Amino acid sequence: MKFDLLFYARPAIELAPDLIGKIIVRRIRQKVFRARIVETEAYVGSHDLACHASKGRTNRTEVMFGPAGRAYVYLIYGVYDMFNIVASEIDDPQAVLIRAAEPLDGWSADLAGPGKLTRGLLITRAQNGVILTNDRLHIVDDPADRRQVVATPRIGIDYAREWKHELLRFVDPTSNALSSKKGLTGAALR
DNA sequence: GCGTCGATGGCA
DNA sequence: GCCATCGACGCG
């Protein structure tokens, strides 16, 4: 079942782990591609030094200040688009970065990383601001999913001082499609 | 299997 | 002058 906007209207630190095991549905020219989310990160507001909104309200971050359930897509390193889902409520800029997923239904693609995921699902800045209840791009539940969730520090934010240690990355440790094994230990690596 | 490095463009 | 990245390359 497609999630409605209320599903997204809560703190990113709650939404991010809950999105593990959920399914991205992407429709491209009448074809439907589905992928199971296995890695996310929470960006928890203006006070979070790793959150783009900590630098203030700008053209780029405008979407994050709006209502929950919209896509925040931006370009990084001049090369890759990053797909986020806006969380929380108006004027509280929180978002969840979707970092990795496993293709379903026998479709094969490498979605093990935020840049590879957007490339594989054809998500670009053209989707910035779209409401995620539309038929072309949305998230559905998988009631049968046996998800496991482990929290680790976020990737690629060494500049964020004390925030770089916060356990705001969430992964399904049993997945083979993670962007990195950082933060996983012992049994989780087998 | 590691570490290092360059590409590439929008943003402040 | 940075980056919420990726893949190529060199090592030995």
Side-chain angles (χ1 to χ4, degrees):
Chain A
M1 235 189 54
K2 196 191 285 184
F3 288 116
D4 60 25
L5 293 178
L6 266 183
F7 174 78
Y8 303 102
R10 53 189 161 132
I13 197 169
E14 289 178 25
L15 180 60
D18 202 24
L19 281 168
I20 301 297
K22 303 297 191 286
I23 295 170
I24 304 175
V25 180
R26 178 68 167 135
R27 195 169 67 111
I28 313 237
R29 299 196 328 247
Q30 318 298 358
K31 288 213 165 179
V32 174
F33 300 89
R34 305 192 313 143
R36 178 177 179 273
I37 298 172
V38 297
E39 178 175 345
T40 62
E41 281 177 0
Y43 290 83
V44 301
S46 312
H47 58 298
D48 173 3
L49 293 182
C51 184
H52 289 165
S54 68
K55 300 218 167 50
R57 187 168 183 155
T58 67
N59 280 340
R60 179 172 69 159
T61 60
E62 186 61 27
V63 183
M64 268 200 285
F65 287 83
R70 296 181 188 242
Y72 167 45
V73 187
Y74 68 92
L75 182 72
I76 189 68
Y77 300 115
V79 181
Y80 303 101
D81 289 298
M82 301 280 108
F83 173 45
N84 300 252
I85 298 176
V86 177
S88 194
E89 57 190 35
I90 290 176
D91 289 336
D92 181 21
Q94 302 196 24
V96 176
L97 172 65
I98 310 299
R99 289 188 56 89
E102 299 170 345
L104 298 175
D105 313 317
W107 167 57
S108 99
D110 182 0
L111 308 177
K116 293 192 277 192
L117 182 140
T118 54
R119 179 173 290 177
L121 292 170
L122 297 185
I123 296 171
T124 72
R125 281 163 290 162
Q127 277 71 50
N128 189 41
V130 303
I131 300 174
L132 293 173
T133 52
N134 75 84
D135 286 336
R136 296 192 174 293
L137 178 61
H138 58 269
I139 311 288
V140 297
D141 196 9
D142 179 1
D145 191 75
R146 297 274 180 274
R147 77 180 169 176
Q148 259 187 71
V149 182
V150 167
T152 82
R154 292 172 290 183
I155 305 288
I157 54 147
D158 286 351
Y159 62 87
R161 317 209 317 164
E162 70 271 21
W163 284 92
K164 82 182 215 184
H165 306 296
E166 294 289 318
L167 302 178
L168 293 172
R169 170 174 173 252
F170 303 92
V171 304
D172 176 345
T174 68
S175 175
N176 291 314
L178 301 180
S179 71
S180 150
K181 291 181 179 175
K182 271 198 192 109
L184 301 185
T185 55
L189 285 179
R190 276 186 259 254

